[in-house]
Amino acid sequence: MIDRLCRDHSLSCDEYELLLDSQTPRLAEYAASRALEARKSVYGNTVYVRGLIEISNICKNDCLYCGIRRGNQSCSRYRLSEQEILSCCDEGYKLGFRTFVMQGGEDPFFTDELLCTLIKKIKKAFPDCAVTLSIGERSRESYETLFAAGADRYLLRHETADSNLYRKLHPESMSFENRMQCLNNLKEIGYQTGCGFMVGAPYQTNRSLAADLKFVEQFRPDMCGIGPFIPHAATPFAGFAAGALQTTLFLLSLLRLMDPGVLLPATTALGTIDPTGREQGILAGANVVMPNLSPVSVRRKYELYDNKICTGEESAQCKSCLERRMESIGYKIVTDRGDRKPFSL
Ligand code: SAM
Ligand code: FES
């Protein structure tokens, strides 16, 4: 089945489920070797970097898994000023970043007006850089306005393609349909769009994960962010186990085989559940890393889950740490916007 996925870039939902059910170290190793071939044919041994700026941990939502959910009263809240964000970009540019990802909770303070001013200033100061937004669900008009101001990419994990599971992970005020509508809007508007999901979320089954794979196959995102679920002590999911490293790696390989050109990050969550998780992610087929560019003073506060790594390090330390890590496995971080390379399926 792995060979067929390599060739056709598509399987049925039942076949994805069967693959996940029959996951063994040997099968995963085979999938990873084929995924690496696919990755190398498009991206060689290069790894793209994105500078992640965590602009606010204030969120109007209450996702049950998330450490910065509205209901977490022990979370000490912050939002970065325009000046602070621009300084992060400045520092990042000097370090060789050519993509800035502004991520945050759904913080109503960040109006379209404020964001447009910010995006225009970043694009003016760093015209050779891409701006990625990851600030949750907004209206179609808002996405259009931000795109017109110069935003290039948008990351909005779909979280799960299983609507029943979606309801178990989110409060009633949030809807699966709206999340999916947002993703469709982003793509139609012309953003390079990223979806994604957590692996090992509470109540998730292989059937749900198969639905995620089928969704990604059909949606054909430019980017797909996946990482293990990791519990946060101050959320309703505190008592659940974290997602498995091996399953996450296997899924990365399947996603690479499904679309050899997709931009696939080895996430911070992967580096949190295993000290060499990000290296293993690259060796399973990922081709992007996202070191933290946020001011060190706020890093501990953007605590989505327990024991998040890189909260004490300066941006330069994270960049050189990742450079070393990638070199240790024969890969090279490049100074590049890191757009998706063409690959016709
Ligand atoms: N508010 C924006 C949104 O909803 O897309 C962006 C920020 S949100 C905190 C970024 C991602 O963090 C979510 O899409 C979710 O998949 C991930 N996340 C949140 N809590 C997590 C946890 N406990 N373990 C792993 N990932 C988590
Ligand atoms: Fe941040 Fe290694 S990437 S310290």
Side-chain angles (χ1 to χ4, degrees):
M1 242 187 297
I2 298 283
D3 289 337
R4 195 143 52 76
L5 182 58
C6 269
R7 194 188 62 219
D8 301 343
H9 309 294
S10 168
L11 291 176
S12 70
C13 205
D14 287 343
E15 288 171 326
Y16 283 128
E17 187 180 0
L18 190 63
L19 264 182
L20 290 161
D21 285 341
S22 48
Q23 187 199 326
T24 58
R26 239 181 102 199
L27 182 68
E29 205 179 300
Y30 182 64
S33 71
R34 299 298 317 257
L36 278 190
E37 280 168 26
R39 175 211 198 286
K40 287 214 162 150
S41 72
V42 187
Y43 294 104
N45 72 338
T46 58
V47 176
Y48 290 150
V49 267
R50 281 80 167 86
L52 182 65
I53 308 171
E54 295 155 337
I55 61 172
S56 169
N57 72 351
I58 297 171
C59 192
K60 65 178 166 64
N61 288 335
D62 219 13
C63 306
L64 276 76
Y65 45 83
C66 187
I68 63 168
R69 67 200 298 267
R70 186 184 66 214
N72 179 7
Q73 281 165 10
S74 59
C75 174
S76 146
R77 306 285 170 173
Y78 75 90
R79 65 169 68 96
L80 299 183
S81 67
E82 180 186 284
Q83 202 40 54
E84 285 172 309
I85 297 171
L86 289 169
S87 313
C88 291
C89 296
D90 202 41
E91 188 183 358
Y93 193 84
K94 290 186 187 123
L95 289 170
F97 294 97
R98 296 295 177 267
T99 290
F100 303 118
V101 181
M102 289 189 276
Q103 188 182 85
E106 289 195 14
D107 179 354
F109 177 82
F110 284 93
T111 57
D112 289 351
E113 200 186 342
L114 191 151
L115 285 166
C116 284
T117 309
L118 180 61
I119 294 164
K120 284 180 190 157
K121 284 192 180 170
I122 297 176
K123 295 295 277 194
K124 185 155 184 248
F126 313 102
D128 52 340
C129 291
V131 168
T132 306
L133 299 175
S134 178
I135 46 176
E137 297 173 28
R138 302 175 77 95
S139 67
R140 185 180 176 108
E141 294 67 41
S142 169
Y143 288 150
E144 280 167 351
T145 308
L146 302 175
F147 186 71
D152 302 275
R153 309 187 184 129
Y154 206 106
L155 297 174
L156 184 75
R157 289 187 175 185
H158 62 283
E159 310 296 359
T160 171
D162 169 347
S163 57
N164 288 323
L165 178 58
Y166 189 93
R167 274 192 289 278
K168 292 185 181 146
L169 302 181
H170 300 96
E172 266 188 28
S173 54
M174 295 178 71
S175 99
F176 174 75
E177 289 71 26
N178 193 53
R179 193 103 187 148
M180 290 299 183
Q181 187 59 54
C182 285
L183 277 167
N184 287 325
N185 288 343
L186 290 164
K187 202 173 183 197
E188 271 172 31
I189 292 166
Y191 283 96
Q192 293 175 41
T193 305
C195 63
F197 54 93
M198 287 183 295
V199 180
Y203 313 111
Q204 188 180 54
T205 59
N206 282 346
R207 186 80 196 152
S208 327
L209 283 171
D212 287 318
L213 290 172
K214 196 67 197 169
F215 169 72
V216 176
E217 184 199 298
Q218 289 169 338
F219 184 67
R220 292 277 165 214
D222 297 293
M223 310 162 277
C224 184
I226 72 162
F229 157 77
I230 304 174
H232 184 290
T235 64
F237 289 164
F240 284 88
L245 172 74
Q246 297 307 334
T247 313
T248 313
L249 298 173
F250 187 49
L251 284 159
L252 284 171
S253 299
L254 299 183
L255 289 165
R256 173 62 60 204
L257 293 174
M258 185 190 287
D259 182 354
V262 75
L263 296 162
L264 207 53
T267 54
T268 306
L270 199 53
T272 298
I273 55 162
D274 188 290
T276 62
R278 287 167 298 176
E279 291 90 317
Q280 294 184 63
I282 297 291
L283 292 171
N287 69 326
V288 174
V289 286
M290 297 171 68
N292 203 322
L293 259 188
S294 309
V296 174
S297 57
V298 302
R299 288 203 192 174
R300 269 194 192 92
K301 298 182 182 168
Y302 199 79
E303 193 188 45
L304 308 182
Y305 44 79
D306 292 336
N307 306 316
K308 186 170 167 235
I309 55 168
C310 298
T311 53
E313 283 76 11
E314 293 289 344
S315 307
Q317 286 174 305
C318 278
K319 171 86 193 306
S320 57
C321 165
L322 276 168
E323 249 157 12
R324 261 183 284 114
R325 286 171 181 270
M326 296 301 114
E327 273 166 25
S328 77
I329 53 166
Y331 286 78
K332 195 171 167 32
I333 285 182
V334 288
T335 297
D336 192 299
R337 264 174 60 114
D339 287 306
R340 177 199 237 279
K341 284 205 177 161
F343 178 85
S344 43
L345 292 168

